[in-house]
């Protein structure tokens, strides 16, 4: 019974202590330092060895400018515990009073303690860092390393050099640590990525590239090829990343998945030729069934994306041959789904597409692969204007994969189905919820449609223009580009100068790009620039015009001027980062 009572008393005291700690922190965060001080003093009285409560008490004294009280408390604790870090606390208390002579004296005494016992560096350097005394923290680490070379502070020192703006030393320390302790590599790459996207130093990427190349030359370890590949991927230089991946493969032929992933990234960024080169390399160098099928799927998909009417029959034949070669099995599912999509959206044979998918559903598959089939099946039903049947399949995926990106994608497609049906009230509700989706692409798409419905309902309560626009969007979904083009052009004539005009010009621009009529696309974007400066598609108009001049017409000066518009006038655009990167490349800031 005594033990039970003792345990209950102990548990009660812990709960009370925790509540008081939260209360004190709440006072501190609100700036009520007097109440925070009283609470922390009480906590420290009950737990005199608790360094956290002591630290917070000192901070309260300092916020209240009770420096003498802080001084005596630190001095008393120093006599009791003899911790070198308390010398830093004492020095910092003097620094807050602008007495730099006394402050530096205490900092030197703390460094002297490291000279006597290098292990003191952990407490001393950490306290310097907490006080944002960056140079002093570096000095502490460097001193400890001269006395005990086995110590490793590469990561901590790299962060400190970064704070000082000494990016060359930061790179040196990070790369040294990455090679020595490769389990920390992801954490280091995350840190480097921050500097690769910031404005502070436009030469950072070039410095990192040179440092990596130098290490790869001096040390033939495959690690540096992998690091260079990672670097070039961050820069979206997929051809250069592929050179590194080939070097990795020659020394480790078992590794191929990274190369296929690289091809996929190149496709997403529109670097079709690079992607073809990578995928051809895969086909020439592996016998792995899954990789072969994946490579063939990507290659056929690229052919479909750029196909003219005359190419369709050859693609249909090639798809049939591939499925005969690899057979109908779970391994070839990506090819089966691609064939079903091609039959429906390009050859206009939805019944054939559905038959392929229903056969695939009989295969032994996991929940995600079943969802892939159902998603395509729903897409085909939507193509056939069987809206309610499509919604059933989308709903099944949502239910089976809740809180998953695939489930969110199904929700987005369900919302678009309601939009195509012109059930705008229900679609608007779904788009509003999806604005908070974890996938940025889904969230951005949902936001675009939410604003489209909202803005054009406010402008026209009858939603006449919006209904016609939704029908044109549906034709675009069905891959009926010419019909969609005619419908959008009709909207421009009927609703000239109205709210719907800006988004219609944008849709026309994208259709013209899709069919390769780049001059007509530029005309649409220029109309947005000239007539809809305050609209939500102005940054897209500048960015996609720049892309056409950059990639299609190779007109560097015009591309630069248009990228500049995004950089200097549309900082909140989702295209801002890409525009800045491409502008710098065209300007010649780096040799990447």
């Amino acid at each position: 019974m005594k033990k039970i009572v003792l345990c209950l008393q102990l548990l009660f005291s812990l709960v009370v202590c925790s509540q008081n700690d939260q209360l004190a922190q709440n006072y501190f965060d609100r700036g009520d330092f007097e109440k925070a001080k009283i609470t922390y003093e009480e906590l420290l009285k009950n737990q005199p060895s608790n360094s956290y409560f002591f630290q917070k008490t000192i901070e309260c004294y300092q916020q209240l400018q009770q420096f003498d009280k802080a001084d005596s408390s630190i001095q008393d604790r120093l006599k009791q515990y003899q911790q070198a870090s308390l010398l830093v606390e004492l020095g910092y208390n003097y620094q807050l009073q602008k007495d730099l002579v006394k402050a530096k004296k205490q900092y030197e005494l703390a460094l002297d303690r490291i000279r006597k016992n290098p292990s003191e560096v952990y407490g001393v350097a950490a306290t310097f860092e907490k006080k944002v005394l960056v140079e002093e923290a570096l000095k502490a680490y460097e001193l400890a390393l001269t006395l005990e070379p086995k110590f490793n502070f590469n990561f901590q020192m790299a962060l400190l050099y970064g704070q000082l703006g000494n990016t060359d030393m930061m790179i040196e320390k990070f790369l040294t640590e990455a090679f020595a302790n490769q389990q920390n590599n992801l954490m280091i790459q995350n840190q480097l990525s921050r500097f690769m996207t910031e404005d502070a130093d436009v030469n950072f990427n070039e410095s990192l590239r040179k440092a990596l190349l130098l290490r790869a030359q001096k040390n033939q370890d495959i690690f540096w090829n992998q690091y260079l590949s990672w670097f070039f991927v961050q820069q979206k230089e997929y051809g250069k990343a592929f050179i590194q991946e080939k070097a990795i493969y020659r020394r480790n032929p078992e590794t191929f998945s990274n190369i296929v992933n690289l091809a996929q990234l190149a496709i997403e960024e529109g670097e079709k030729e690079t992607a073809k080169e990578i995928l051809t390399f895969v086909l020439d160098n592996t016998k792995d069934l899954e990789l072969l099928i994946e490579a063939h799927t990507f290659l056929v998909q690229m052919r479909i994306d750029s196909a003219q009417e005359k190419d369709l029959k050859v693609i249909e034949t090639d798809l049939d041959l591939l499925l005969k070669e690899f057979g109908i099995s779970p391994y070839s599912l990506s090819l089966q789904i691609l064939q079903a999509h091609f039959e429906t959206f390009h050859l206009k044979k939805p019944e054939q597409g559905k038959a392929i998918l229903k056969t695939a559903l009989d295969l032994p598959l996991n929940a995600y692969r079943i969802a892939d089939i159902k998603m395509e099946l729903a897409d085909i039903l939507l193509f056939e204007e069987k809206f309610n049947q499509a919604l059933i399949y989308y709903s099944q995926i949502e239910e089976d994969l809740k809180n998953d990106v695939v489930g969110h994608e199904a929700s987005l497609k369900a919302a678009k189905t309601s939009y195509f049906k012109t059930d705008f009230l229900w679609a608007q509700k779904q788009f509003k919820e999806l604005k908070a989706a974890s996938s940025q692409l889904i969230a951005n798409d949902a936001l675009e449609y939410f604003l489209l419905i909202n803005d054009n309902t406010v402008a026209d309560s009858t939603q006449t223009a919006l209904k016609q626009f939704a029908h044109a969007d549906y034709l675009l979904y069905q891959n009926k580009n010419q019909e969609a083009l005619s419908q959008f052009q009709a909207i421009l004539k009927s609703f000239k100068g109205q709210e719907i005009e800006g988004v219609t010009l944008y849709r026309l621009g994208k259709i013209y790009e899709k069919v390769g009529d780049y001059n007509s696309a530029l005309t649409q974007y220029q109309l947005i620039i000239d007539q809809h400066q305050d609209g939500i598609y102005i940054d897209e108009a500048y960015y996609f015009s720049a892309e056409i001049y950059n990639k299609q017409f190779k007109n560097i000066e015009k591309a630069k001027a248009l990228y500049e518009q995004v950089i200097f006038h549309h900082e909140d655009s989702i295209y801002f980062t890409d525009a800045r990167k491409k502008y710098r490349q065209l300007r010649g800031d780096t040799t990447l």
Side-chain angles (χ1 to χ4, degrees):
M1 181 59 71
K2 287 181 180 178
K3 287 181 180 178
I4 293 171
V5 171
L6 186 62
C7 287
L8 288 171
Q9 287 176 336
L10 180 61
L11 181 62
F12 179 75
S13 64
L14 287 171
V15 171
V16 170
C17 180
S18 176
Q19 289 174 341
N20 288 341
D21 182 14
Q22 290 175 7
L23 182 63
Q25 186 62 50
N26 188 37
Y27 286 140
F28 192 92
D29 292 340
R30 283 163 41 195
D32 194 342
F33 300 114
E34 186 63 45
K35 287 182 180 177
K37 180 193 76 169
I38 293 167
T39 311
Y40 278 124
E41 282 177 336
E42 186 63 30
L43 287 164
L44 186 61
K45 183 179 177 182
N46 293 328
Q47 296 185 40
S49 62
N50 189 306
S51 59
Y52 174 76
F53 293 152
F54 171 77
Q55 178 63 44
K56 297 303 291 186
T57 304
I58 296 299
E59 287 178 26
C60 289
Y61 292 152
Q62 290 168 343
Q63 290 288 345
L64 294 165
Q65 297 191 359
Q66 297 175 358
F67 299 114
D68 289 344
K69 206 166 185 179
D71 184 287
S72 62
S73 296
I74 297 168
Q75 295 275 17
D76 290 344
R77 196 170 184 87
L78 182 59
K79 287 175 186 175
Q80 184 177 1
Y81 292 103
Q82 292 297 310
Q83 292 172 318
S85 59
L86 291 167
L87 293 166
V88 179
E89 293 285 357
L90 194 58
Y92 187 69
N93 197 55
Y94 288 131
Q95 186 166 327
L96 290 174
Q97 299 172 73
K98 310 292 191 235
D99 193 339
L100 297 183
V101 174
K102 283 187 176 180
K104 286 182 179 179
K105 182 180 177 182
Q106 296 303 319
Y107 297 155
E108 279 301 320
L109 287 172
L111 294 173
D112 282 340
R113 293 282 287 272
I114 294 174
R115 291 184 182 97
K116 294 173 185 175
N117 179 9
S119 294
E120 292 276 17
V121 68
Y122 294 100
V124 171
T127 308
F128 276 134
E129 287 186 59
K130 285 176 188 173
K131 308 300 180 189
V132 200
L133 298 167
V134 178
E135 291 182 352
E136 287 80 359
L138 272 172
K139 196 180 291 184
Y141 286 128
E142 286 164 356
L143 176 60
L145 286 170
T146 58
L147 298 167
E148 185 50 78
K150 291 182 180 178
F151 282 163
N152 179 6
F153 303 117
N154 288 319
F155 189 85
Q156 296 94 320
M157 293 175 76
L159 293 175
L160 293 169
Y161 280 123
Q163 288 180 56
L164 289 173
N166 188 343
T167 53
D168 286 341
M169 281 302 297
M170 182 188 77
I171 289 168
E172 172 67 26
K173 290 293 182 183
F174 270 143
L175 295 185
T176 301
E177 176 63 15
F179 187 69
N181 294 292
Q182 295 180 20
Q183 70 275 12
N184 297 331
N185 197 23
L186 182 60
M187 185 167 58
I188 291 166
Q189 287 178 345
N190 287 338
Q191 290 293 333
L192 290 170
S193 295
R194 285 178 51 239
F195 283 83
M196 291 166 78
T197 57
E198 287 174 356
D199 287 323
D201 183 0
V202 295
N203 296 315
F204 178 80
N205 292 343
E206 179 63 8
S207 297
L208 179 55
R209 184 186 75 91
K210 286 179 178 177
L212 287 168
L213 285 171
L214 191 62
R215 286 171 182 261
Q217 290 165 4
K218 288 183 177 179
N219 183 340
Q220 299 301 308
D221 196 291
I222 198 172
F223 176 83
W224 296 115
N225 297 107
Q226 293 167 336
Y227 228 103
L228 276 163
S229 177
W230 167 82
F231 172 79
F232 287 126
V233 167
Q234 305 311 300
Q235 299 300 300
K236 299 185 179 180
E237 295 280 342
Y238 302 112
K240 292 178 181 178
F242 180 44
I243 292 170
Q244 299 302 320
E245 289 295 339
K246 281 193 289 188
I248 294 165
Y249 169 75
R250 290 189 192 102
R251 295 160 71 180
N252 183 9
E254 302 301 316
T255 307
F256 240 119
S257 58
N258 283 350
I259 297 180
V260 177
N261 292 339
L262 186 62
Q264 187 173 4
L265 289 171
I267 293 168
E268 289 170 3
E269 289 298 318
E271 291 192 21
K272 301 291 176 68
E273 291 307 312
T274 300
K276 285 178 186 175
E277 184 186 356
I278 296 169
L279 292 167
T280 302
F281 178 82
V282 172
L283 294 178
D284 291 342
N285 289 277
T286 187
K287 293 181 180 178
D288 183 284
L289 183 62
E290 287 188 70
L291 289 175
L292 286 170
I293 290 171
E294 194 172 3
H296 277 298
T297 302
F298 283 135
L299 283 167
V300 175
Q301 181 66 70
M302 282 192 289
R303 287 172 61 193
I304 292 171
D305 290 342
S306 59
Q308 302 295 317
E309 190 69 32
K310 59 184 175 60
D311 304 320
L312 299 181
K313 190 65 183 174
V314 177
I315 294 172
E316 182 182 24
T317 302
D318 289 347
L319 266 169
D320 283 336
L321 289 172
L322 283 170
L323 280 163
K324 283 176 184 174
E325 178 184 349
F326 294 114
I328 304 300
S329 74
Y331 293 106
S332 65
L333 183 61
S334 60
L335 277 173
Q336 294 169 58
I337 292 174
L338 180 59
Q339 186 184 43
H341 189 90
F342 179 73
E343 291 285 341
T344 301
F345 288 87
H346 294 271
L347 300 181
K348 314 305 179 190
K349 299 177 183 175
E351 290 301 325
Q352 182 68 23
K354 287 189 292 185
I356 292 165
L357 295 173
K358 285 174 181 176
T359 299
L361 276 174
D362 292 332
L363 297 169
L365 302 166
N366 63 33
Y368 284 94
R369 307 201 84 182
I370 290 171
D372 290 339
I373 297 171
K374 287 185 174 181
M375 193 86 81
E376 189 61 43
L377 194 51
D379 290 349
I380 293 174
L381 290 165
L382 179 53
F383 173 90
E384 295 182 297
E385 301 185 41
K386 296 175 180 176
F387 300 112
N388 292 333
Q389 290 182 47
L391 284 170
I392 290 169
Y393 278 106
Y394 290 136
S395 299
Q396 286 178 4
I397 299 166
E398 288 177 80
E399 185 64 30
D400 293 341
L401 297 170
K402 287 178 181 176
N403 302 318
D404 187 277
V405 68
V406 178
H408 288 159
E409 185 184 351
S411 299
L412 180 67
K413 289 189 174 189
K416 285 184 180 181
T417 302
S418 298
Y419 162 74
F420 292 143
K421 285 174 65 182
T422 68
D423 185 357
F424 298 128
L425 189 65
W426 180 243
Q428 181 78 325
K429 181 178 181 295
Q430 291 173 297
F431 287 132
K432 185 176 182 180
E433 291 173 0
L434 285 164
K435 288 192 299 177
S438 55
S439 164
Q440 194 62 49
L441 286 173
I442 290 172
N444 289 340
D445 212 357
L447 176 61
E448 181 185 338
Y449 279 94
F450 176 84
L451 292 173
L452 171 68
I453 295 171
N454 188 68
D455 293 349
N456 288 284
T457 301
V458 171
D460 175 15
S461 59
T462 64
Q463 299 177 327
T464 306
L466 185 59
K467 287 172 183 175
Q468 291 185 31
F469 189 90
H471 178 62
D473 258 351
Y474 179 62
L475 291 170
L476 202 55
Y477 170 81
Q478 291 178 304
N479 202 31
K480 296 177 181 177
N481 295 324
Q482 288 305 317
E483 293 95 323
L485 199 63
S486 298
Q487 179 76 16
F488 283 123
Q489 287 168 339
I491 292 169
L492 277 185
K493 288 179 183 176
S494 301
F495 302 97
K496 188 171 180 59
Q498 295 187 29
E499 181 69 34
I500 202 79
E501 187 177 55
V503 64
T504 306
L505 289 167
Y506 176 64
R507 284 288 197 278
L508 282 168
K510 297 310 292 178
I511 294 172
Y512 283 127
E513 276 196 71
K514 185 178 180 182
V515 299
D517 186 352
Y518 298 108
N519 283 311
S520 293
L522 284 172
T523 300
Q524 310 310 309
Y525 296 143
Q526 190 60 48
L527 286 169
I528 295 173
I529 292 167
D530 292 340
Q531 300 173 11
H532 298 276
Q533 276 285 333
D534 297 329
I536 63 171
Y537 293 98
I538 184 66
D539 56 320
E540 280 93 343
Y542 281 124
Y543 180 76
F544 289 115
S545 295
E547 288 284 274
I548 291 171
Y549 280 116
N550 184 16
K551 294 179 179 178
Q552 306 303 329
F553 297 156
K554 310 299 180 187
N555 189 328
I556 291 174
E557 291 309 311
K558 281 208 169 188
K560 278 167 58 181
L562 290 159
Y563 285 133
E564 274 185 348
Q565 290 293 328
V566 181
I567 297 165
F568 297 122
H569 302 293
H570 301 282
E571 295 90 341
D572 58 345
S573 170
I574 60 172
Y575 302 105
F576 173 81
T577 302
D578 283 341
R580 182 179 59 187
K581 187 186 293 291
K582 289 171 183 178
Y583 174 77
R584 288 175 175 174
Q585 288 173 339
L586 293 178
R587 195 173 65 178
D589 286 356
T590 72
T591 59
L592 294 175

